[in-house]
Amino acid sequence: MTIVIGFEGSANKIGVGIIKDGLVLSNPRRTYITPPGQGFLPRDTAKHHQACVLDVTSEALEQACIKPEEIDCVAYTKGPGMGAPLVCVAIVARTLSQLWNKPLLGVNHCIGHIEMGRLITGATNPTVLYVSGGNTQVISYSERRYRIFGETIDIAVGNCLDRFARVLKEAAHRILAAGDCTPEDLCFSLQETLFAMLVETTERAMAHCGSEEVLIVGGVGCNLRLQKMMAVMCEERDAKLFATDERFCIDNGAMIAQAGWEMFRAGHVTALQDSWITQRYRTDEVEVTWRD
Ligand code: MG
């Protein structure tokens, strides 16, 4: 029996989850919510996480009915993500690992999404579309790496949709004066174009790898229109589509605990002096020693 506690705080959610051999014992989280039309800034987000993290940790332990001495490993998000929020959560994980005298493990956030999706849906070897406010990647497993088949480097799809809405608000009169389309037309058109691009890239990766499963993860992965478009492609290829709901699709602590569980069982640990964070941490940097 292996019990892992996971700490996630790379963006505007602070989450703590506890996993015991494939069972989610608890997974509370808090979201830093800014006024409509405003994005979240790293410093303010870190302050929010700092204010909440100990409450969320107590909640996770209470809900799971687990005492610190029963925990085998403390996992935290090493990156990618926003610097200040990542640092805040890493400090808490580092401190607790020393207080409780438990090994520490830095986890790649994207791999957390993949491993949680595999656990929840039962997909064994899916081509993964990870699409959120901060990340957009098409990933497939091959020879001990989660390999990236397509990604956006300048802006993630979720951020693009949000930012477009903000720009539209400021520029709406000019755009509307220039043509006969409504803001709704423009939003729909952008969404259809972006999602079609994601589905096409996923299909290309599937064809390349001979994959018959698709797993959608990340916050934008909750979008039902995206899931519908992906389902049509999968049906045409005789492939199976897997998606999760908001509890596990959106950033959460259990996903870090689950990836940590796999890694810890395969012998990974992070020495205290190596327990830093990094804003850029590619999915394919990690050797996936826990899969064949
Ligand atoms: Mg994420």
Side-chain angles (χ1 to χ4, degrees):
M1 190 179 73
T2 305
I3 299 177
V4 179
I5 188 168
F7 292 84
E8 157 59 30
S10 60
N12 68 337
K13 318 273 185 314
I14 172 78
V16 183
I18 300 179
I19 290 267
K20 174 181 159 185
D21 297 337
L23 277 179
V24 182
L25 298 184
S26 61
N27 197 19
R29 78 176 153 217
R30 304 266 195 286
T31 302
Y32 172 52
I33 298 168
T34 52
Q38 283 179 32
F40 49 94
L41 298 170
R43 199 180 63 167
D44 300 333
T45 309
K47 275 188 189 161
H48 168 267
H49 292 2
Q50 248 170 48
C52 298
V53 63
L54 295 183
D55 282 347
V56 182
T57 306
S58 304
E59 212 175 303
L61 290 165
E62 275 164 30
Q63 278 176 18
C65 298
I66 289 286
K67 292 187 191 70
E69 51 267 36
E70 294 172 82
I71 289 167
D72 294 289
C73 176
V74 176
Y76 73 97
T77 306
K78 179 178 167 182
M82 288 179 147
L86 282 171
V87 168
C88 158
V89 174
I91 288 171
V92 172
R94 203 181 292 146
T95 307
L96 289 177
S97 103
Q98 287 179 88
L99 276 173
W100 296 343
N101 197 24
K102 303 291 177 188
L104 190 61
L105 189 48
V107 170
N108 179 295
H109 177 88
C110 313
I111 291 183
H113 276 295
I114 297 171
E115 294 306 341
M116 197 64 196
R118 289 177 65 221
L119 172 70
I120 295 297
T121 64
T124 48
N125 186 24
T127 295
V128 180
L129 171 63
Y130 171 31
V131 55
S132 68
N135 295 283
T136 303
Q137 291 183 342
V138 175
I139 304 157
S140 231
Y141 174 79
S142 171
E143 293 180 13
R144 302 222 143 179
R145 300 271 168 181
Y146 283 119
R147 302 193 188 265
I148 301 168
F149 281 78
E151 66 187 316
T152 61
I153 293 174
D154 49 356
I155 187 168
V157 161
N159 195 2
C160 174
L161 290 168
D162 288 350
R163 208 186 283 182
F164 183 73
R166 286 200 287 271
V167 168
L168 199 59
K169 217 178 151 199
E170 289 159 14
H173 296 296
R174 197 160 44 90
I175 292 170
L176 294 177
D180 54 0
C181 55
T182 64
E184 288 80 7
D185 290 334
L186 292 171
C187 289
F188 183 73
S189 171
L190 178 71
Q191 175 182 280
E192 293 293 292
T193 306
L194 288 173
F195 289 177
M197 175 189 87
L198 296 176
V199 172
E200 184 184 335
T201 311
T202 305
E203 186 173 18
R204 283 171 188 271
M206 290 173 80
H208 185 86
C209 301
S211 165
E212 287 165 1
E213 293 176 332
V214 176
L215 170 64
I216 308 182
V217 296
V220 181
C222 298
N223 185 299
L224 296 178
R225 176 63 187 149
L226 174 61
Q227 292 184 9
K228 179 81 212 300
M229 287 167 81
M230 195 65 89
V232 170
M233 181 274 282
C234 285
E235 215 179 292
E236 284 170 3
R237 299 185 61 87
D238 245 339
K240 249 182 124 176
L241 174 62
F242 298 90
T244 61
D245 62 41
E246 295 196 348
R247 287 168 303 165
F248 305 114
C249 216
I250 296 175
D251 292 349
N252 62 89
M255 66 185 232
I256 301 305
Q258 176 58 18
W261 184 90
E262 295 275 14
M263 294 173 76
F264 182 67
R265 303 247 307 179
H268 294 246
V269 281
T270 303
L272 188 64
Q273 65 270 22
D274 299 325
S275 62
W276 31 274
I277 60 102
T278 169
Q279 286 174 259
R280 300 202 179 274
Y281 187 14
R282 285 178 62 82
T283 312
D284 53 11
E285 273 180 55
V286 181
E287 193 182 357
V288 182
T289 54
W290 58 94
R291 285 185 63 174
D292 294 332

